[in-house]
Amino acid sequence: MAASKKNSKRKFRGEVYIDQERCKGCGFCIEFCPTHVLALADSFNQKGYYPPVIADIEACTGCDLCGMYCPDFAIYGVKIRLDVVQEEANHEC
Amino acid sequence: MSKATNPVESYLRMDRMPSIWCPGCGIGIVVNCFARALQQMGVDHDELAVVSGIGCTGRIAGYVDIDSFHTTHGRPIPFATGLKVARPDLKVIVMSGEGDLVSIGGNHLIHAARRNSDVKVICVNNFTYAMTGGQAGPTAPRHSIATTAPYGSFDKPFNLPFLADSTGAVYVARWTTYHVRQLTRSMAEAMSKPGFCFIEVISPCPTIFSRRNRLGDGLDAMRYYKNSSKVVNGANTRMVGLDLNGPIIVGKFIDRDRPTLLEAMDEEIGSKLGKRYVPYATTGVQR
Ligand SMILES: Cc1ncc(C[n+]2csc(CCOP(=O)(O)OP(=O)(O)O)c2C)c(N)n1
Ligand code: SF4
Ligand code: SF4
Ligand code: SF4
């Protein structure tokens, strides 16, 4: 286990949740995501706005800056601890 | 993993969303930061109250899942002072626009600051009376176009941090809606500090201010804030006035201590009446 911890570069993985129907398409989240996880959708939502879609989830750190910038509470990021997942997996076997 | 919920939802009336605010409007970011500050501080919903005036920003009172008051135009500060006097145990937060707080409510602002009324004022400055279609407000930059200044505004705008500082506020900060982390921290700081605290938040109004002045959309405003802001904590507030499209000095400018309105009252009257006086500031609801 110690070895796997040492080898893994990242302690966290990011996850981002988007409520596309609540979005007003301002683009703040896409512009200010530090690792460029998000892109503009190519289709619009029911209100006619283009919401963000996930373009590169591997790059997400779960920093939640997108969540802080969203004026419509339509997106947020969370950090998921990788070592916890790893430990749980180890316990199981 | 089960889907996590947006951390701000517990402080907001999500059943009222989407808000009335336009796409690219910054007011939602201010609410977002406010909810996050509350979450970080771990304050209970019952420990605070939000007071707003009239305007697009004034609508904030309707979206927070906290006891809130949507008062008449310009009057949130005296309303908040009254609330604080009646319930010294509450944290009382005023959230409103610069037109509401500094034009029609300007006298209330300066006297609440002078008396160090223990309320926290979060002033969203979008440089115009947005809700009524874009008249020139108290912070309209010189040369900016407004319905009441079709050739450009020629009045000198108020420098809000200087106004709050010179009239006696104990905490004065300015951020833009680009500075979400700093703004959240500032809100938490102000809410934890006794006395009159004033935070100016520069915020995009793409529909009225930016459109009339051909400044693009909300994202363009956010890029301008990012590229033209400079953090100068402790800056001399006299020097932080704003020009149309000019540099924006942001930061925490003032953090000092002096007795609040209620403390000063207790001190003064207590010293004259002795045991006959029941102190106000310290007794709270038990009174
Ligand atoms: C006594 C009174 N006078 C005038 C108005 C009209 N009025 C409504 S909102 C507003 C200005 C709001 O400007 P601001 O506080 O900057 O808020 P914003 O809409 O820009 O967020 C005015 C003049 C009113 N509602 N009541
Ligand atoms: S959580 Fe951070 S890294 Fe992930 S999408 Fe949002 S801003 Fe980008
Ligand atoms: S910040 Fe929010 S409203 Fe704006 S595009 Fe992203 S999800 Fe949509
Ligand atoms: S008019 Fe301006 S301030 Fe009002 S909601 Fe629209 S963008 Fe925001």
Side-chain angles (χ1 to χ4, degrees):
Chain A
M1 197 177 77
S4 77
K5 253 189 190 169
K6 219 179 188 177
N7 290 342
S8 70
K9 284 194 202 91
R10 296 170 69 185
K11 285 218 169 91
F12 293 95
R13 162 175 85 75
E15 193 86 74
V16 58
Y17 298 100
I18 305 169
D19 184 339
Q20 298 201 334
E21 290 308 320
R22 204 183 275 162
C23 168
K24 290 182 190 156
C26 66
F28 296 169
C29 57
I30 301 172
E31 174 93 2
F32 298 121
C33 166
T35 52
H36 311 291
V37 172
L38 306 164
L40 205 62
D42 46 23
S43 60
F44 45 79
N45 66 14
Q46 274 185 18
K47 292 229 160 69
Y49 300 120
Y50 289 89
V53 288
I54 297 168
D56 182 9
I57 191 60
E58 285 298 307
C60 180
T61 60
C63 68
D64 195 29
L65 255 188
C66 52
M68 301 191 83
Y69 278 116
C70 180
D72 285 281
F73 322 104
I75 189 169
Y76 58 98
V78 289
K79 280 189 198 298
I80 294 165
R81 277 185 68 160
L82 286 173
D83 51 348
V84 173
V85 177
Q86 190 61 47
E87 267 172 40
E88 277 168 7
N90 284 353
H91 279 302
E92 269 163 31
C93 52
Chain B
M1 205 195 84
S2 65
K3 192 173 184 289
T5 52
N6 192 335
V8 298
E9 289 193 9
S10 68
Y11 289 103
L12 304 178
R13 300 187 199 196
M14 295 311 289
D15 54 320
R16 297 203 178 173
M17 304 299 170
S19 66
I20 56 144
W21 298 313
C22 310
C25 176
I27 299 171
I29 300 181
V30 180
V31 178
N32 199 328
C33 292
F34 177 62
R36 280 159 199 276
L38 296 180
Q39 197 212 9
Q40 283 169 20
M41 294 166 74
V43 279
D44 193 79
H45 293 58
D46 293 338
E47 294 171 39
L48 65 153
V50 171
V51 186
S52 289
I54 301 298
C56 295
T57 313
R59 299 295 289 262
I60 290 177
Y63 294 117
V64 289
D65 194 12
I66 293 163
D67 285 342
S68 55
F69 300 90
H70 193 189
T71 67
T72 47
H73 197 23
R75 316 299 168 213
I77 290 177
F79 201 103
T81 297
L83 187 54
K84 183 70 190 180
V85 169
R87 285 286 303 273
D89 58 310
L90 289 181
K91 290 183 195 301
V92 181
I93 296 106
V94 171
M95 297 175 91
S96 209
E98 89 290 351
D100 185 72
L101 292 170
V102 192
S103 274
I104 187 169
N107 233 26
H108 298 302
L109 174 81
I110 61 177
H111 290 285
R114 174 179 68 83
R115 304 172 78 198
N116 203 17
S117 170
D118 192 2
V119 301
K120 320 299 151 193
V121 177
I122 296 161
C123 176
V124 177
N125 182 4
N126 54 20
F127 305 104
T128 192
Y129 295 168
M131 179 160 270
T132 45
Q135 295 78 7
T139 61
R142 288 198 64 196
H143 315 300
S144 67
I145 305 293
T147 55
T148 50
Y151 304 106
S153 174
F154 43 82
D155 295 324
K156 183 177 164 63
F158 265 132
N159 166 353
L160 298 185
F162 180 46
L163 180 67
D165 175 11
S166 56
T167 50
V170 291
Y171 183 101
V172 180
R174 173 200 278 154
W175 299 106
T176 76
T177 49
Y178 172 72
H179 299 89
V180 283
R181 287 197 200 283
Q182 296 95 324
L183 174 59
T184 302
R185 196 183 322 123
S186 242
M187 287 177 174
E189 264 177 26
M191 284 190 275
S192 311
K193 187 176 171 73
F196 189 87
C197 300
F198 185 88
I199 303 174
E200 175 187 15
V201 190
I202 312 278
S203 174
C205 168
T207 306
I208 305 288
F209 184 76
S210 293
R211 185 174 56 86
R212 235 174 252 296
N213 286 283
R214 301 183 184 275
L215 296 173
D217 61 11
L219 191 52
D220 290 312
M222 292 286 276
R223 288 186 186 126
Y224 156 56
Y225 301 161
K226 180 182 176 183
N227 297 330
S228 301
S229 299
K230 191 170 165 211
V231 180
V232 187
N233 290 314
N236 179 350
T237 57
R238 204 181 272 276
M239 310 306 286
V240 304
L242 299 171
D243 293 317
L244 187 63
N245 290 330
I248 306 171
I249 304 291
V250 296
K252 177 167 83 173
F253 303 137
I254 301 289
D255 193 348
R256 60 190 163 207
D257 295 305
R258 68 187 179 94
T260 65
L261 189 165
L262 292 181
E263 286 166 356
M265 183 176 85
D266 282 351
E267 163 79 36
E268 182 68 22
I269 305 180
S271 72
K272 305 282 161 57
L273 295 188
K275 286 210 171 77
R276 283 188 293 149
Y277 179 68
V278 183
Y280 227 100
T282 46
T283 46
V285 272
Q286 301 95 332
R287 201 185 139 81

